[in-house]
Amino acid sequence: MISEMLSSTRSIQPMPRVHAAIRRLWILPVLGFLASVSAQPPVATDSRKIQQTVVKVYGAGGLRQLEAYQSGFLVSPEGHVATVWSYVLDVEPIVILDDGRRFEAEIVGIQPALELAVLKIDASDLPYLEVPKKLEATWGDPVLAVSNLFGIAAGDEPASVMQGMIAGIANLDARRGTFKTPYRGKVLLLDLIANNPGAAGGAVVDATGTLVGMLGKELRDSGTGVWLNYALPIDALRVAIGDVIAGRTTTVPEESKPILKREQSHNLTTLGLVLVPNVLESTPAYVDTVKPGSPAEASGLHGDDLILLIDGQRIADQQSLLDLLRRIDRRDSVSFTIQRGSDVLPVKLQP
Amino acid sequence: MMRFCLSAVVCFVAGISCTRAAEPKGIELDPVVAAAEARRVNAIQRAIPSAVSVFIPGGGGGGSGVLISEEGYALTNFHVTSPAGTFMRCGLSDGRVYDAVLVGLDPVGDLAMIKLLGRDDFPRAGLADSLQASPGDWCMVIGNPFLLATNLQPTVTWGILSGVGRYQYPAGTLLEYADCLQTDASVNPGNSGGPLYNDAGDLLGVVGRCSFEKRGRVNVGVGYAISINQAKNFLGYLRSGRIVDHATLGATVSTDPDGGVVVSNILASSDAYRRGLRYNSEILEIDGRPVSTANEVQNVLGTLPAGWRVMIAFREEGKTIRVPVRLMSVHRRDELIEKMGSALPPPPPVPDQPEPKKESEDGESPKEGETPQDQQPPSPHGGMKPAVKKSIPEAAAKLIEERRGYANYHFNRLEQTRFYEQLKAMPNEATTGLERWQITGKTPNGETCRLMVRDDEYAMDVGQFAFSATRINELFDAVDQDMISGALAALDAWRKMTLLGPQQFGETYYKGTMPLSGERPLRDCTVGLYGDMEVRWLMHPDTGLLECIEVVADRDSDPAELWIGWDGDRVDSLELRYGVDAVLSVAVESWDRGEKSE
């Protein structure tokens, strides 16, 4: 633990002066939890409240070391769930609430560069975590991480609660390539072993129960083998979550848009795209090759790129890509969001 | 500089008061903080003396344990004692090493009882009520991670309960963690068997297992402890020196999509079936705990010993029935012993590897992913060398007696002796005149009832009913057919046991403690073979009075239960029951001791 924290801290951010460090690390953990609720089980009441907002998300996976579950938390009383965008969401996910109710969820927004997805279930009056306007927490602050790590809880069993503190706030991109994630912003480094299988999407709250971040996917330093314990800070996610809740953005395909005639709409040929063979029920939209001289080639797309979004709408698989292209006039340019390695990139295809 | 700062963190985590060394000048602790810290320091000081560091002689590994009695009885994990055999050495924080012997084993619940030798004033842990614990409560683990306690000073790790009422699947049928506690306090190999305390220093559970997946066998923030309430259920069984089994209902259940948990299959030979539980009955409560999902049913059942009789409430055809039900055992008699042999120990720890190169991935992580092995408890550090018998000190060797089916028969013998002393000390005419008992009394409707037992002669009459027999197998038939003359079998077994003692009565063993007809306190239960019948004597733990004698003729039918009512020093009433029905009730008027036959 200590060495893990040490190495990640050392590599990313210079350690602050020692007196400040001691004051923070030594006093605050005690203060934060105990001052607010001094006498009896110090965090129990608060943690129950947080548990009620944390959900279990089930979806694709189940193969070797790819767990078919992750965590999420409610961010609106109407059933918006913030979670990580991952392979688990390759199918329409199932969400199970703290009270054991089971819902088929719709993926209403994804933000690949933030590894964020927002799901929506059909429910109301749910307990939820308010997404705060800004991040008040700083390093040294005690936190609770609530998630369904290892899938320990099932049905109406409450999610797991862990405690620790924010050990540092730092950018990951200084070590690009070390951690395989498209996320480029600051992260909250945690001194607790929070990022276990299934924990991604869990809520991190401070001593007052205020949301400070979302547990990210498991990340391992490719050089040292050290696993990172971190959360995506809530201020990085706030706008994206808020826009989805408010209905300002959605990545759900706009089915109201009319399907154009074949000779008027875009298709793979007009763009010069060749995808990998469509052999599965739901084949991911991986680029195989691009035709020479085509808009695809001009845009810089190449083999192994994964198409995530087209004009802001989520491409779940090749079929949804083809459907979407039928609704775009072939004289119009098309905006792609793609994943290339661990980068998420915007690409524009100009006919 | 950085090192200094980190050491402060370590001290904080370990909960050791190092304020004087690390506290920078000019900082005054808020009184609330100071009080909280003092509370934690006190709790740790209170808890540490009862924590045990277990070492297997000959460098065979080790683990942790916790003292629960002043005579030295301590709990640890089955998988800790398993490589040790019957003898181990235990260190306490007083800096002394004590010899210890194995007492009892519970391979399904991964519990073991050991006894430290050499004192009768061992420090012991106070037992908490683990049902009162909830997620978020502060807690601590004290033990011997990585066998660090070579100086006998155990390691303290502090954290919170991450979850309660957790269920962790068994490996096969052994090592099932039902209704267990989950903590983020550091739990590592070597902590196994050690205590999880609450923030007051009372014992909440026995640590024994972690979730591991891809990070090697070290703490990943998820440790599990067997709840102390489960351990409480098993204490009497473990003291019996036996290898004990867990309970099953004899029925399978499933969660009804519309809510509630219903029976999906039931054995017609089970006591649950005889008490009216049927396919599709909705189970409401087991042993006083409400259940509404299949998980909850297993969570409660998994904490109960085989052979217990617990209250079960269920709905069948619109009626709610609350009735004591005898639980069956998970394993057949020899099955458990066979499985134990092959179950352990778990594979040695695999060091964590940096991200493996793609080509060799399969080869480098053979145990990840697919087998139940990767959820097994931490290895007690390799060694599976059994203790060499000749190296056992004489004082300890005297307390070890091997016998098939027992962890250590010596302790069963002790309990049998205690049972016999109690039986002989029964404050009653029943302890004298053992050649012949003749009891006269009245039934509730005024009929006279006479019961007589002596060697090879058993007789009773009540109202129009008369019975006499000269052979025990006639009593067997009486019990088997739920006749009121089954009372004679219980009476005669009682007489004979008092007369002969467990050595001569026939095969006798102390079973442990169990509820009486589903009710606590737990009664001491001793079992003896009488003819082809199994007789169980149930005694009150405080008064030592014999309260009920059960006689089993056929395992698949109700035993005869002779309930003994006491009025001070004398037996006031006798009542015979089959299942839950009283078939004979006698207010005792006289109890003749007949040294001479009539």
Side-chain angles (χ1 to χ4, degrees):
Chain A
M1 249 326 289
I2 295 296
S3 69
E4 186 169 342
M5 181 175 123
L6 181 65
S7 71
S8 42
T9 311
R10 181 194 285 147
S11 59
I12 292 156
Q13 187 190 343
M15 202 67 187
R17 285 186 312 276
V18 69
H19 286 296
I22 286 178
R23 186 176 306 169
R24 285 290 188 183
L25 293 170
W26 182 228
I27 302 302
L28 278 178
V30 189
L31 260 182
F33 280 133
L34 299 182
S36 48
V37 269
S38 57
Q40 271 309 304
V43 284
T45 6
D46 292 332
S47 61
R48 182 69 201 115
K49 262 193 216 153
I50 310 305
Q51 281 175 320
Q52 285 167 337
T53 66
V54 172
V55 306
K56 304 150 194 115
V57 181
Y58 297 89
L63 297 171
R64 214 178 118 81
Q65 298 206 356
L66 290 176
E67 293 76 20
Y69 56 85
Q70 60 188 33
S71 306
F73 53 90
L74 289 158
V75 286
S76 84
E78 299 86 34
H80 288 93
V81 174
T83 183
V84 294
W85 181 70
S86 78
Y87 63 85
V88 173
L89 306 182
D90 283 354
V91 297
E92 293 293 298
I94 300 293
V95 165
I96 295 186
L97 300 183
D98 177 75
D99 60 15
R101 277 188 289 163
R102 182 179 189 278
F103 292 89
E104 285 173 16
E106 188 186 9
I107 302 168
V108 290
I110 64 169
Q111 188 58 265
L114 296 175
E115 299 216 298
L116 169 75
V118 179
L119 316 180
K120 173 81 173 69
I121 60 170
D122 193 10
S124 56
D125 290 334
L126 298 172
Y128 69 103
L129 288 170
E130 191 94 46
V131 178
K133 291 218 160 51
K134 57 181 186 173
L135 180 69
E136 300 279 5
T138 183
W139 55 276
D141 284 358
V143 291
L144 289 181
V146 185
S147 74
N148 189 24
L149 74 172
F150 292 109
I152 295 165
D156 64 352
E157 295 162 5
S160 299
V161 192
M162 305 173 82
Q163 56 82 34
M165 64 174 122
I166 301 172
I169 300 180
N171 281 315
L172 286 181
D173 65 354
R175 300 283 304 277
R176 188 175 293 200
T178 306
F179 294 108
K180 287 179 181 148
T181 171
Y183 179 74
R184 292 290 172 260
K186 283 183 178 355
V187 296
L188 311 176
L189 294 168
L190 305 177
D191 81 330
L192 66 159
I193 314 178
N195 301 68
N196 275 295
V204 178
V205 301
D206 67 11
T208 65
T210 305
L211 187 62
V212 299
M214 177 176 81
L215 293 176
K217 292 197 263 192
E218 286 184 280
L219 283 184
R220 189 181 207 190
D221 187 311
S222 54
T224 63
V226 166
W227 295 90
L228 187 67
N229 292 302
Y230 73 105
L232 303 167
I234 198 61
D235 54 348
L237 307 177
R238 184 178 169 272
V239 173
I241 294 174
D243 283 352
V244 175
I245 295 177
R248 284 188 291 271
T249 62
T250 175
T251 53
V252 176
E254 297 168 52
E255 299 200 336
S256 57
K257 244 175 132 180
I259 294 180
L260 304 174
K261 290 204 178 100
R262 261 177 219 289
E263 63 274 17
Q264 290 175 359
S265 76
H266 268 302
N267 55 42
L268 293 177
T269 319
T270 61
L271 298 170
L273 268 178
V274 179
L275 300 180
V276 297
N278 188 357
V279 290
L280 304 172
E281 194 178 322
S282 177
T283 311
Y286 272 106
V287 177
D288 194 1
T289 57
V290 293
K291 293 271 169 59
S294 68
E297 188 195 46
S299 74
L301 270 179
H302 57 66
D304 285 346
D305 288 344
L306 175 63
I307 301 166
L308 304 173
L309 297 172
I310 293 183
D311 290 348
Q313 295 165 58
R314 187 170 74 97
I315 303 304
D317 54 23
Q318 295 195 6
Q319 194 53 51
S320 62
L321 183 146
L322 296 175
D323 290 348
L324 196 67
L325 291 181
R326 281 294 306 276
R327 299 170 200 267
I328 303 173
D329 192 306
R330 64 169 61 178
R331 293 166 297 187
D332 293 344
S333 61
V334 188
S335 297
F336 280 26
T337 301
I338 60 151
Q339 180 162 1
R340 178 177 297 160
S342 55
D343 292 319
V344 170
L345 305 168
V347 174
K348 196 155 198 174
L349 278 70
Q350 201 79 46
Chain B
M1 294 291 257
M2 186 181 295
R3 191 166 298 255
F4 177 47
C5 138
L6 285 168
S7 76
V9 182
V10 174
C11 292
F12 167 72
V13 170
I16 295 162
S17 178
C18 59
T19 8
R20 233 165 298 151
E23 189 179 311
K25 280 178 191 142
I27 289 183
E28 275 183 32
L29 281 182
D30 184 310
V32 175
V33 177
E37 186 174 275
R39 181 176 149 80
R40 186 173 65 232
V41 170
N42 287 338
I44 292 171
Q45 280 172 354
R46 179 156 179 261
I48 274 189
S50 57
V52 179
S53 302
V54 179
F55 294 96
I56 297 169
S64 308
V66 56
L67 279 159
I68 53 162
S69 89
E70 286 161 11
E71 307 93 76
Y73 287 100
L75 290 174
T76 180
N77 281 141
F78 161 63
H79 80 259
V80 168
T81 62
S82 170
T86 49
F87 175 73
M88 55 219 90
R89 288 208 158 83
C90 293
L92 298 186
S93 62
D94 63 7
R96 298 205 191 103
V97 178
Y98 299 87
D99 290 340
V101 294
L102 182 66
V103 178
L105 286 177
D106 167 18
V108 179
D110 197 15
L111 267 183
M113 186 181 275
I114 58 176
K115 186 176 192 290
L116 276 62
L117 309 177
R119 280 172 72 175
D120 54 11
D121 61 342
F122 278 105
R124 66 174 179 89
L127 306 189
D129 177 358
S130 50
L131 274 181
Q132 301 299 318
S134 40
D137 290 358
W138 291 114
C139 62
M140 59 182 147
V141 170
I142 304 187
N144 190 13
F146 304 115
L147 305 190
L148 287 174
T150 44
N151 63 350
L152 307 182
Q153 297 311 305
T155 301
V156 183
T157 51
W158 186 266
I160 60 174
L161 292 180
S162 299
V164 300
R166 296 305 200 198
Y167 182 81
Q168 289 291 297
Y169 284 94
T173 51
L174 303 188
L175 310 179
E176 174 186 50
Y177 279 53
D179 201 31
C180 63
L181 304 160
Q182 179 197 343
T183 181
D184 71 353
S186 257
V187 174
N188 281 296
N191 274 114
S192 285
L196 171 74
Y197 296 101
N198 65 15
D199 67 346
D202 287 324
L203 187 60
L204 268 181
V206 174
V207 172
R209 186 164 168 165
C210 300
S211 278
F212 296 121
E213 211 140 295
K214 38 194 126 170
R215 305 194 185 186
R217 290 185 168 265
V218 291
N219 174 51
V220 291
V222 183
Y224 303 97
I226 302 151
S227 76
I228 195 61
N229 287 26
Q230 172 177 340
K232 284 175 189 169
N233 290 343
F234 280 88
L235 290 182
Y237 269 48
L238 289 169
R239 278 183 69 130
S240 76
R242 294 186 305 124
I243 295 166
V244 306
D245 200 357
H246 277 233
T248 162
L249 194 54
T252 56
V253 295
S254 59
T255 307
D256 192 321
D258 301 330
V261 55
V262 296
V263 174
S264 54
N265 212 336
I266 182 161
L267 288 175
S269 60
S270 64
D271 192 47
Y273 186 86
R274 288 199 294 275
R275 300 283 80 80
L277 194 71
R278 292 292 179 272
Y279 173 76
N280 240 0
S281 296
E282 183 186 359
I283 301 181
L284 306 171
E285 219 179 278
I286 300 176
D287 196 25
R289 297 184 57 186
V291 290
S292 59
T293 63
N295 281 11
E296 283 172 0
V297 168
Q298 189 49 36
N299 239 0
V300 176
L301 281 176
T303 64
L304 297 173
W308 268 32
R309 198 178 185 190
V310 298
M311 294 304 286
I312 294 186
F314 59 92
R315 281 185 77 75
E316 168 63 24
E317 291 189 337
K319 278 187 300 189
T320 300
I321 300 168
R322 184 182 295 268
V323 69
V325 170
R326 294 175 197 274
L327 302 174
M328 314 169 83
S329 52
V330 175
H331 300 90
R332 292 187 309 276
R333 192 180 157 89
D334 289 333
E335 191 184 10
L336 184 59
I337 300 167
E338 278 162 28
K339 281 196 173 159
M340 263 175 63
S342 54
L344 285 165
V350 174
D352 191 19
Q353 304 274 347
E355 193 167 291
K357 291 181 181 62
K358 285 279 179 286
E359 309 83 80
S360 58
E361 198 165 35
D362 288 336
E364 281 191 341
S365 48
K367 30 171 239 27
E368 291 173 354
E370 54 264 311
T371 65
Q373 301 260 336
D374 59 1
Q375 283 262 320
Q376 275 196 4
S379 154
H381 312 272
M384 40 207 297
K385 255 186 290 176
V388 185
K389 178 107 188 181
K390 65 181 177 204
S391 71
I392 299 177
E394 202 183 326
K398 277 196 288 189
L399 306 182
I400 297 170
E401 187 177 346
E402 294 192 15
R403 181 181 279 214
R404 185 170 166 81
Y406 291 85
N408 185 350
Y409 188 70
H410 171 80
F411 288 92
N412 201 275
R413 206 182 277 287
L414 285 187
E415 295 295 331
Q416 288 178 39
T417 308
R418 186 169 69 93
F419 157 74
Y420 188 44
E421 296 301 322
Q422 279 183 352
L423 202 61
K424 285 193 295 187
M426 212 69 68
N428 176 257
E429 55 268 84
T431 57
T432 55
L434 296 165
E435 299 303 321
R436 185 187 67 115
W437 282 354
Q438 179 158 338
I439 297 159
T440 312
K442 283 258 183 331
T443 63
N445 54 15
E447 289 173 331
T448 297
C449 173
R450 292 186 300 168
L451 299 139
M452 194 280 290
V453 288
R454 65 176 178 185
D455 286 352
D456 302 325
E457 197 181 339
Y458 321 95
M460 74 177 292
D461 60 80
V462 53
Q464 300 300 309
F465 179 86
F467 175 92
S468 83
T470 56
R471 285 176 302 136
I472 283 188
N473 59 6
E474 291 172 82
L475 296 181
F476 181 99
D477 293 339
V479 173
D480 197 27
Q481 291 158 25
D482 294 6
M483 312 252 291
I484 58 173
S485 43
L488 295 172
L491 270 180
D492 190 53
W494 180 8
R495 180 188 70 88
K496 242 182 204 151
M497 179 61 91
T498 316
L499 181 67
L500 300 174
Q503 302 299 325
Q504 294 169 52
F505 177 82
E507 192 189 325
T508 303
Y509 66 95
Y510 173 74
K511 191 177 177 76
T513 55
M514 56 174 62
L516 176 60
S517 200
E519 302 293 342
R520 282 172 174 77
L522 303 181
R523 300 339 197 256
D524 278 307
C525 175
T526 305
V527 178
L529 288 186
Y530 171 72
D532 289 332
M533 292 172 275
E534 181 182 298
V535 181
R536 307 183 190 127
W537 288 266
L538 289 147
M539 285 168 159
H540 195 279
D542 303 326
T543 63
L545 290 178
L546 182 62
E547 292 177 281
C548 183
I549 303 170
E550 297 181 349
V551 184
V552 188
D554 178 356
R555 288 192 169 276
D556 293 343
S557 68
D558 286 325
E561 300 167 28
L562 185 69
W563 288 67
I564 299 147
W566 294 87
D567 177 19
D569 276 4
R570 60 180 292 274
V571 175
D572 185 47
S573 65
L574 295 173
E575 182 173 292
L576 186 71
R577 298 184 196 168
Y578 289 98
V580 289
D581 306 317
V583 294
L584 175 71
S585 189
V586 181
V588 174
E589 287 170 346
S590 75
W591 189 307
D592 290 339
R593 51 187 91 173
E595 277 96 318
K596 294 170 222 123
S597 46
E598 281 175 0

